[in-house]
Amino acid sequence: MQLPNTLGFVFGIIQMVVYLIYRNATPVVEAPMKGQELSGGHIIDVVKIGTDPNRAGGGAGSKV
């Protein structure tokens, strides 16, 4: 069966074409971002529901 050989040949040609397109590409170096700049200025406070340490009884998973 010639299907594996044909697929390998086609993928090899595609790989060489992609290499020829990107061989002279220069990498883009961006300045590193700090703190809030990474999150776009939004601050998200994550709280796990049902686990309040100040509450007597243990939260949502406590047995009655």
Side-chain angles (χ1 to χ4, degrees), residues 39-56:
S39 66
H42 300 287
I43 298 175
I44 301 172
D45 190 15
V46 179
V47 177
K48 195 170 184 180
I49 297 175
T51 56
D52 186 6
N54 298 325
R55 193 172 154 202

Side-chain angles (χ1 to χ4, degrees), residues 3-37:
L3 185 63
N5 290 335
T6 305
L7 284 177
F9 176 75
V10 170
F11 287 144
I13 296 295
I14 292 171
Q15 183 176 0
M16 288 190 285
V17 169
V18 170
Y19 168 75
L20 290 173
I21 291 171
Y22 290 104
R23 68 180 172 167
N24 294 326
T26 56
V28 177
V29 179
E30 296 181 14
M33 300 172 89
K34 300 177 190 171
Q36 275 189 330
E37 295 175 1

